[in-house]
Amino acid sequence: MFAFIARRLGSGALLLLVISTIAYFLMFFSTSNVAMNILGEDASPEAIIAKQQELGLDKPILERFWGWLTHAVTGDFGTSWFTNEEIIKTIFNRLPVTMTLVIGAILIAAVLATVLGMTAAVKGGAIDRLVQFLAVAGFAVPNFVVAIFLVTLFAINFALLPATGWVPIQDDPAQWFLSLILPTSALVISTVASAAQQIRSAIKAVLEKDWVRTLRSRGIPQREILFKHVLRSAAPSGLTVLSLQFVGMLGGAVIIESIFALPGIGQLAVESTSKGDTPVVMGVVVYTVVIVIVVNLVVDLVNGWLNPKVRV
Amino acid sequence: MSNLVLDVKNLDVTYPAAGFGKKPFKALHNINIQVGQAETLGLVGESGSGKTTLGRAILGLAPVSAGTIEFLGKDISHATRKDRRALSRDLQVVFQDPYTSLNPSMEIGQILAEPLQIQGLGEAEAKRRIAELLDQVGLPSDALNRLPREFSGGQRQRVAIARALALSPKLIVCDEPVSALDLTTQARILDLFLQIQKDTGVSYLFVSHDLDVVRHISHRVAVMYKGEIVEQGPSAQVTVNPTHPYTQRLLMASPVPDPDRQEKRRVERKHLLEQQARELQSQG
Amino acid sequence: MSTSTAAATHGSAIVRKSLFKRLVANPMGATTGVFLLLVVIIAFIAPLIAGFDPAATDTNNLMTAPGGAHLLGTDSAGRDVLARIFFGAQTTLISAVLVVVTSIAIGVPTGLVAGYYGGKFDGIASWIANMLMSLPSIIVLLAVRAALGPSIFVSMVVFGILIAPGFYRLTRTAVMSVRNELYVDAAKVSGLSDVRIIAKHIFTVVRAPIVIQAAMISGIAISIQSGLEFLGLGDSSMISWGVMLNEGFRNIFVNPLLVLWPGIVISLTIGSFALFGNAMRDALEDSQKISAKNKKRSDASAAASFAVAETEVPADADKHLLTVGHLSVGYPQGDGSLKKVVSDVSFFVDKGEVLGIVGESGSGKSQTAFSILGLLPSNAKIASGHILFEGSELVSATEGAISQQAMTQFRGKRIAYIPQEPMSNLDPSFTIGYQLVRPMTEVLGISKKEAKARAIGLLETVGINNPERVFKSYPHEVSGGMAQRVLIAGAVSCEPDLLIADEPTTALDVTVQAEVLDLLRDLQKRLGMGMVLVTHNFGVVADLADRVVVMQYGRVVETGDVRSILRNPQEEYTQVLLSSMLEGKTPMTMLTGNAKEQ
């Protein structure tokens, strides 16, 4: 077990290193105009050169990368070129927004998808066709179109919910909750059907196993077979589906945060990339990869634990 | 036996380790068999005995780690794919599962043409040969443009046999060719194998788990157990009066289709097992 | 020789149609195909049909309503919305093509090589694929935009790289499943080179799934592309649906229609790609699996209620342990007919008696056994007949199936089942002990402790040397023969009166078969159980059965005492079956008299 975790962590660290290296060297191509972007178009050439020196842009790329890397491993991603804010602080300020959104959405989606998928697989018929239809519909309508639709309907036409903005929970729990409804729904709606469809296939595959029939022949109640045996066997595939959906939601959050003007990581990513704020972009990339690695590790561990052939 | 087609000497097959910390798996140990012209050597054994591996080693589909496989006087134990192309004129195969041994997306005509094309046969000539083959294995000539899935298991096995016969080989390795078939189909396919041997003088290495099948089709029989050959000899002797304890057990285990004779066999089997247990005890 | 394949192979003449024809015949495939074709045509002839310059601003006509000269109105700069939609199709399609071409060019060759050769290349390629798959593409694309500039086409090529693992995995899995197929082995024996094997035998298998995946990925590409542009991260000087959404959203309070049009065309196009892919998959499966079709069709009719045709209730049913009378079982077909797999089958089993049901694949012998257990697939229907256990009816007249309610009191308790394949009939996630104990606590209502003691005793009874250890083991830790003993122990654990054994020794080696037959005979005698023994092997019948039912094509051919059936078969089919037996025949002689007979 420990060997397994160690191997996965090692693989994750390697992944992190590879991604940040690629990202850093890609960014190298875009730093030529940064000083002017920061200082404005009419800045004097001297000021620009001074700024470039201040940012360390005059040093060779390898030296800069090494400097960034040695700081990054200690958790220090430097400061923003534009706002001079400490990046780690910015990320931690924005993390709660994104995490509330994404974790809330994945939990809701997981429950809904499991219930829908299970019902579709077991009952078949109309609900089965409905799930399949919704899966195509969910695939066809991108999450931002869903979001725009929700805004138009509930915020503009009915004016029931706030269209944009974020209220911290400590300021006003009720408003916090209301401000989350539309963005979370947008994320859930665009993922739940496809997750349900995949969970449905996973459960259907288990239901066709010979041992399900044998358990029934032994007089075990159908309900127990479904919830204890079938769900257990379908869990690994279901978790894998949900982990992929989670990664998808991290990406989806970028768009959703923009639409609903939520001050999360996604918005930070959009702002920093359009300005060319390299240190912030690097920080966001590293943070995202870390989250993905952790989620995958957890899923692998749970799946390993569920499988008696792997468990030792 | 002056006309040896196949001569396997001291053959070992070892599969490399499947992962770190795992031992390489020795599937075959010190195998010696011979097949003469127009002769059938039956190879019988239970699952995991290595009988299929032996057939695959001869075909170049399993890693030979020691020993030689002489085919028509030439060692082919480490033949390259190019050598195999020349070899395939004389050495062919029929597999167990007629469902996976034919490419589902290829028409019967294309399947049968493949070995001919590799040998560079012209189109007209290939067509003629294919028509001949279909007739030989008892398939209708309109089978050409149909896909494997349009045929029953027995008919597919006929296609596989036709493919093996295409180049008039000297030896066909038959890997459990009738075990996936129904009883009546099995009888017809066995008849076909016998008929072909009578007509063409081909030799068979006939692998099967079923002692009855092997007895019916073989001139000589070799019995495999845990990667080794434990007994080898004329079919009538090995499959009726075996000398090795394992072969004896195998023979007694197979039930006969009559309740009274089967009851007798059960008693004989019980005695045999008790006797073997006693012998084993007295040995140590 | 399982039941589903058998039913499909018997006497089915299939008319082959080309994939294209089947695709067009499917309304979903035809509609979406036409729509996608229309999008392509519009993209090509946009300059001819647009009527307006899509970039021409007109400050006199800002955000006009649909109708009039501007069919869909104008946007915030007075540009014609319809013209912009037509021209936007170009950007959309180019993006989709870029993504698909890039990802196929990278994913397919690497997948072929990794799948066929495995080894180190596979290890490294799979690691990279996993890495790319686990990245949120939008965030990567944002970083790429920051680095390489706002060109949407550059972003699309990068996205093609990010999504290439989809093709890689698909190809690799397909190749790996084919690599060890016997027909590839046959090609190797023929001396075909690797390149030709891949081109001829392997690529043909992955070709169709790749096309389907390409349709799906086109949809995703359009979604991502318009998403980026919607965020304002595209090239805003371009005319595209995403840019239109972006501009529309900025004016959403003024004119919500401006987001409606691009939203609709984006969704329709993506949806068409997805549905077109689905239709292609259906068309393909149609041609590959006939049996799968049965399943699908019956889904629709499964919910419909189904009345059992009336037949006479067999007389003296209460004298027998089990009575089956005029039983017919079938699978509803798409055209409303019923494909019968069991027709008008009648027999009985007495207490303590072994009835052998013999037949070849497709004879309906297993379907008959599952009918008695009430364990037929959910789409199967009992069309007529009765099944009576000690005189009480098990068939529900209204459901076209065994009444699960009537069955609950018998199943596991008085009627038990021994399956064919030992390994696939134990739940791999639970210990053998749990799977033995739980039915006893449920059916007999005894305590866990009591059940455990009983289970250990049972394992000993079925000839397992170390019952304590096997009790704690998971199914994958025991051999096939051992697993079959465990299943037999489970079947007899509640001391049933009737045992249904479906080819109980077919999956076993001959020597193990002999031991299991001994065990079954011993238990049957000791517990005085009635038994239905389904098998294709006359040796097994001779060993266990008292009476025999011979079946063919779902019908009973002959019934009788085991000795009379085996020694003096009356029906021609039984005679043919027995003459096909090899035991007692002179070796090297013809069995059928005609090798070429079909």
Side-chain angles (χ1 to χ4, degrees):
Chain A
M1 201 51 152
F2 280 113
F4 175 74
I5 297 177
R7 205 164 60 231
R8 293 308 309 251
L9 283 177
S11 169
L14 184 60
L15 171 65
L16 198 54
L17 182 68
V18 171
I19 297 284
S20 20
T21 312
I22 294 174
Y24 199 94
F25 282 87
L26 270 179
M27 293 293 168
F28 172 71
F29 295 108
S30 64
T31 48
S32 46
N33 291 328
V34 155
M36 195 172 79
N37 288 348
I38 298 172
L39 297 173
E41 300 242 339
D42 33 336
S44 67
E46 296 79 30
I48 288 178
I49 287 171
K51 189 74 189 171
Q52 278 178 337
Q53 277 170 352
E54 184 197 324
L55 299 178
L57 291 178
D58 51 339
K59 292 188 201 133
I61 175 82
L62 276 176
E63 192 184 323
R64 273 157 55 199
F65 177 62
W66 182 247
W68 178 83
L69 194 63
T70 44
H71 282 97
V73 290
T74 66
D76 172 15
F77 293 103
T79 56
S80 160
W81 283 349
F82 287 79
T83 63
N84 276 326
E85 261 179 87
E86 236 182 287
I87 291 166
I88 197 77
K89 255 193 200 146
T90 316
I91 288 181
F92 275 112
N93 281 339
R94 287 165 175 263
L95 203 58
V97 180
T98 306
M99 284 295 119
T100 321
L101 185 62
V102 173
I103 291 178
I106 195 73
L107 288 180
I108 296 171
V111 172
L112 282 179
T114 310
V115 171
L116 271 177
M118 186 116 180
T119 322
V122 175
K123 293 259 192 278
I127 179 141
D128 195 12
R129 285 194 293 280
L130 180 72
V131 165
Q132 307 216 36
F133 170 77
L134 287 179
V136 174
F139 179 81
V141 187
N143 53 14
F144 51 92
V145 176
V146 174
I148 293 172
F149 174 76
L150 290 178
V151 168
T152 320
L153 199 64
F154 292 103
I156 300 176
N157 280 3
F158 298 136
L160 289 174
L161 293 162
T164 57
W166 165 264
V167 181
I169 187 166
Q170 58 270 31
D171 291 5
D172 184 344
Q175 281 304 312
W176 168 81
F177 184 74
L178 287 180
S179 68
L180 269 173
I181 291 180
L182 285 183
T184 310
S185 308
L187 276 182
V188 170
I189 289 173
S190 51
T191 50
V192 71
S194 83
Q197 197 205 19
Q198 292 176 69
I199 289 173
R200 166 195 169 274
S201 327
I203 288 180
K204 253 195 133 80
V206 177
L207 281 173
E208 276 168 22
K209 299 269 186 205
D210 288 345
W211 52 257
V212 173
R213 188 170 56 201
T214 303
L215 284 174
R216 285 179 67 195
S217 82
R218 297 276 190 265
I220 308 274
Q222 180 74 2
R223 178 177 294 264
E224 182 177 330
I225 294 177
L226 286 181
F227 286 100
K228 195 154 188 175
H229 295 267
V230 172
L231 210 54
R232 167 76 175 265
S233 278
S237 340
L239 277 176
T240 308
V241 168
L242 289 173
S243 76
L244 283 174
Q245 297 284 5
F246 181 83
V247 174
M249 278 188 183
L250 278 182
V254 172
I255 295 180
I256 298 298
E257 284 172 16
S258 279
I259 294 176
F260 293 98
L262 304 176
I265 301 279
Q267 228 186 29
L268 180 69
V270 175
E271 283 165 12
S272 55
T273 42
S274 32
K275 281 190 295 198
D277 198 343
T278 304
V280 181
V281 176
M282 289 303 299
V284 171
V285 168
V286 169
Y287 133 88
T288 315
V289 175
V290 167
I291 290 187
V292 169
I293 289 171
V294 170
V295 167
N296 284 339
L297 180 68
V298 170
V299 168
D300 280 350
L301 283 177
V302 174
N303 281 352
W305 176 76
L306 281 173
N307 181 356
K309 285 185 205 173
V310 178
R311 195 192 324 159
V312 211
Chain B
M1 244 176 284
S2 51
N3 299 327
L4 266 194
V5 174
L6 181 75
D7 190 359
V8 176
K9 288 181 195 146
N10 309 323
L11 179 74
D12 283 8
V13 168
T14 310
Y15 284 101
F20 286 115
K22 288 189 184 138
K23 276 189 196 151
F25 172 64
K26 195 163 198 174
L28 293 181
H29 179 61
N30 195 26
I31 301 290
N32 291 283
I33 53 164
Q34 296 180 329
V35 183
Q37 200 192 334
E39 188 194 39
T40 303
L41 174 67
L43 204 56
V44 71
E46 300 193 316
S47 53
S49 63
K51 57 186 191 304
T52 293
T53 308
L54 176 49
R56 292 179 68 85
I58 293 163
L59 296 166
L61 299 172
V64 173
S65 53
T68 57
I69 301 172
E70 261 180 46
F71 180 69
L72 301 174
K74 237 175 69 188
D75 182 14
I76 59 162
S77 55
H78 294 92
T80 62
R81 191 71 62 81
K82 222 176 184 176
D83 300 337
R84 290 274 161 200
R85 199 171 309 167
L87 265 175
S88 70
R89 282 181 164 279
D90 295 318
L91 176 60
Q92 274 296 335
V93 61
V94 177
F95 288 113
Q96 165 176 8
D97 189 348
Y99 291 85
T100 61
S101 67
L102 306 175
N103 187 332
S105 58
M106 279 166 81
E107 290 174 0
I108 304 302
Q110 295 172 311
I111 290 173
L112 293 180
E114 183 170 77
L116 300 171
Q117 283 165 354
I118 296 173
Q119 302 300 332
L121 228 67
E123 201 171 320
E125 213 176 327
K127 251 194 180 142
R128 220 190 46 233
R129 177 71 184 139
I130 291 171
E132 228 172 75
L133 287 167
L134 287 178
D135 182 57
Q136 197 172 3
V137 300
L139 283 172
S141 50
D142 66 355
L144 274 185
N145 300 315
R146 289 155 73 184
L147 291 174
R149 65 161 189 272
E150 296 169 46
F151 292 94
S152 70
Q155 288 172 318
R156 290 185 210 202
Q157 204 56 307
R158 285 171 194 269
V159 175
I161 293 170
R163 176 177 57 190
L165 287 175
L167 299 167
S168 313
K170 301 277 193 306
L171 174 71
I172 300 180
V173 174
C174 309
D175 185 8
E176 301 255 20
V178 293
S179 23
L181 307 177
D182 273 328
L183 201 54
T184 49
T185 319
Q186 164 177 301
R188 285 191 214 111
I189 297 292
L190 286 177
D191 282 358
L192 179 62
F193 274 115
L194 288 173
Q195 187 66 47
I196 288 169
Q197 189 168 52
K198 218 156 84 182
D199 295 346
T200 66
V202 67
S203 309
Y204 296 130
L205 177 68
F206 201 98
V207 177
S208 177
H209 70 281
D210 189 333
L211 203 59
D212 288 335
V213 168
V214 164
R215 178 194 304 120
H216 187 78
I217 195 137
S218 312
H219 299 90
R220 289 187 309 112
V221 171
V223 183
M224 293 199 66
Y225 183 59
K226 293 186 175 168
E228 296 186 38
I229 289 182
V230 294
E231 183 168 5
Q232 186 166 195
S235 174
Q237 187 244 308
V238 175
T239 61
V240 182
N241 293 308
T243 52
H244 191 274
Y246 172 72
T247 322
Q248 291 169 344
R249 288 205 299 274
L250 200 61
L251 180 65
M252 283 296 135
S254 166
V256 292
D258 184 276
D260 299 323
R261 280 197 293 135
Q262 170 61 11
E263 201 178 333
K264 239 182 9 221
R265 174 163 279 198
R266 277 204 304 264
V267 177
E268 287 173 40
R269 175 169 163 268
K270 213 172 141 199
H271 289 320
L272 175 76
L273 292 179
E274 282 165 2
Q275 185 198 335
Q276 287 188 356
R278 273 198 304 276
E279 277 166 21
L280 211 69
Q281 232 167 18
S282 62
Q283 277 168 16
Chain C
M1 269 170 256
S2 75
T3 48
S4 60
T5 51
T9 45
H10 168 62
S12 49
I14 312 122
V15 186
R16 254 196 297 148
K17 283 193 256 172
S18 73
L19 181 63
F20 178 75
K21 271 189 190 155
R22 278 196 308 272
L23 200 53
V24 175
N26 177 343
M28 200 62 92
T31 321
T32 53
V34 166
F35 179 81
L36 291 174
L37 199 65
L38 203 67
V39 175
V40 173
I41 293 173
I42 286 176
F44 270 102
I45 62 168
L48 301 176
I49 55 165
F52 290 91
D53 179 352
T57 53
D58 179 356
T59 41
N60 296 325
N61 278 314
L62 297 182
M63 292 199 255
T64 53
H70 299 283
L71 207 53
L72 295 183
T74 57
D75 68 5
S76 57
R79 296 170 294 198
D80 183 64
V81 170
L82 188 63
R84 289 178 72 74
I85 293 228
F86 283 172
F87 276 88
Q90 293 179 340
T91 320
T92 303
L93 287 180
I94 294 173
S95 304
V97 169
L98 274 179
V99 170
V100 168
V101 168
T102 313
S103 51
I104 287 186
I106 297 173
V108 173
T110 45
L112 279 172
V113 174
Y116 191 73
Y117 293 105
K120 264 201 189 100
F121 180 84
D122 181 28
I124 295 170
S126 294
W127 190 84
I128 295 176
N130 285 339
M131 170 187 97
L132 289 177
M133 287 283 264
S134 65
L135 293 175
S137 18
I138 290 260
I139 294 189
V140 176
L141 289 175
L142 289 182
V144 166
R145 183 195 181 271
L148 301 180
S151 162
I152 196 75
F153 296 129
V154 171
S155 299
M156 286 298 103
V157 171
V158 173
F159 183 63
I161 299 172
L162 288 176
I163 209 159
F167 283 106
Y168 168 80
R169 283 189 175 180
L170 181 80
T171 315
R172 178 175 170 273
T173 317
V175 171
M176 280 174 56
S177 70
V178 176
R179 182 179 62 181
N180 294 321
E181 290 282 358
L182 291 173
Y183 61 81
V184 173
D185 281 346
K188 281 184 190 164
V189 170
S190 296
L192 216 63
S193 66
D194 279 351
V195 174
R196 283 186 66 186
I197 288 179
I198 290 179
K200 202 165 175 184
H201 290 285
I202 292 184
F203 192 66
T204 48
V205 177
V206 294
R207 198 173 46 195
I210 287 174
V211 175
I212 294 168
Q213 176 101 336
M216 296 295 174
I217 287 196
S218 304
I220 299 175
I222 295 171
S223 173
I224 288 280
Q225 177 245 2
S226 36
L228 284 175
E229 285 173 336
F230 171 72
L231 283 177
L233 295 174
D235 183 348
S236 54
S237 64
M238 283 187 64
I239 300 161
S240 83
W241 298 344
V243 170
M244 290 175 75
L245 262 186
N246 176 293
E247 287 165 1
F249 188 61
R250 276 191 249 146
N251 297 302
I252 191 160
F253 288 94
V254 190
N255 187 356
L257 272 184
L258 287 180
V259 296
L260 185 67
W261 304 121
I264 287 177
V265 286
I266 288 172
S267 303
L268 279 182
T269 313
I270 301 175
S272 296
F273 271 118
L275 288 171
F276 191 70
N278 281 351
M280 241 186 315
R281 178 172 299 144
D282 287 349
L284 216 70
E285 275 172 3
D286 249 15
S287 63
Q288 273 170 356
K289 284 188 215 149
I290 340 161
S291 54
K293 227 172 161 182
N294 287 343
K295 259 182 224 158
K296 214 167 204 172
R297 284 208 212 98
S298 48
D299 267 5
S301 45
S305 69
F306 197 96
V308 178
E310 278 200 33
T311 50
E312 237 175 276
V313 180
D316 60 19
D318 42 356
K319 288 188 195 135
H320 302 300
L321 180 65
L322 175 78
T323 313
V324 174
H326 306 292
L327 180 72
S328 293
V329 178
Y331 290 83
Q333 304 292 297
D335 55 8
S337 68
L338 196 73
K339 188 181 173 159
K340 280 195 185 170
V341 292
V342 176
S343 308
D344 197 27
V345 165
S346 302
F347 58 81
F348 66 88
V349 184
D350 280 331
K351 211 168 178 324
E353 182 193 42
V354 180
L355 177 78
I357 303 185
V358 202
E360 300 187 293
S361 50
S363 63
K365 56 188 192 301
S366 294
Q367 299 284 318
T368 307
F370 287 136
S371 308
I372 301 168
L373 286 157
L375 293 179
L376 283 169
S378 59
N379 50 339
K381 291 289 161 209
I382 293 180
S384 69
H386 301 271
I387 300 175
L388 297 118
F389 183 70
E390 286 184 341
S392 55
E393 178 72 82
L394 300 180
V395 176
S396 154
T398 51
E399 289 167 37
I402 293 291
S403 157
Q404 294 300 326
Q405 206 182 344
M407 205 59 214
T408 320
Q409 50 178 326
F410 298 129
R411 203 158 43 204
K413 191 175 191 175
R414 306 205 50 204
I415 306 179
Y417 163 62
I418 300 175
Q420 171 175 358
E421 289 284 338
M423 288 324 251
S424 66
N425 276 288
L426 290 165
D427 183 347
S429 307
F430 289 82
T431 62
I432 285 170
Y434 178 85
Q435 294 181 63
L436 285 174
V437 164
R438 181 65 192 109
M440 284 193 268
T441 54
E442 170 75 25
V443 171
L444 303 177
I446 56 178
S447 74
K448 261 190 196 167
K449 208 176 141 197
E450 208 175 329
K452 182 180 175 179
R454 232 180 123 138
I456 302 262
L458 277 166
L459 287 174
E460 229 169 341
T461 313
V462 297
I464 286 172
N465 290 329
N466 195 341
E468 299 273 356
R469 208 196 65 209
V470 170
F471 185 89
K472 281 186 214 133
S473 302
Y474 282 92
H476 72 271
E477 294 167 321
V478 303
S479 71
M482 189 102 80
Q484 192 65 326
R485 287 170 196 273
V486 168
L487 284 163
I488 292 173
V492 301
S493 65
C494 302
E495 307 199 339
D497 299 292
L498 178 65
L499 203 56
I500 313 276
D502 179 26
E503 302 264 13
T505 58
T506 306
L508 307 173
D509 273 330
V510 199
T511 47
V512 183
Q513 164 172 294
E515 292 164 16
V516 170
L517 286 177
D518 283 347
L519 170 65
L520 280 175
R521 189 182 326 96
D522 185 48
L523 285 170
Q524 186 265 330
K525 289 250 156 63
R526 191 142 37 112
L527 301 173
M529 293 179 291
M531 185 165 162
V532 175
L533 172 72
V534 174
T535 182
H536 69 282
N537 186 331
F538 279 105
V540 171
V541 169
D543 193 81
L544 281 178
D546 300 313
R547 281 189 309 115
V548 180
V549 171
V550 181
M551 286 184 71
Q552 185 193 22
Y553 302 150
R555 297 181 175 279
V556 171
V557 175
E558 195 171 356
T559 311
D561 170 72
V562 63
R563 283 177 183 78
S564 59
I565 294 274
L566 291 180
R567 290 173 189 169
N568 286 309
Q570 297 302 304
E571 297 294 324
E572 198 195 333
Y573 176 68
T574 318
Q575 289 162 1
V576 170
L577 266 184
L578 282 164
S579 73
S580 303
M581 295 283 304
L582 296 168
E583 204 263 346
K585 299 276 157 46
T586 315
M588 301 270 176
T589 55
M590 295 292 168
L591 296 159
T592 59
N594 185 0
K596 287 182 184 173
E597 190 197 12
Q598 289 299 293

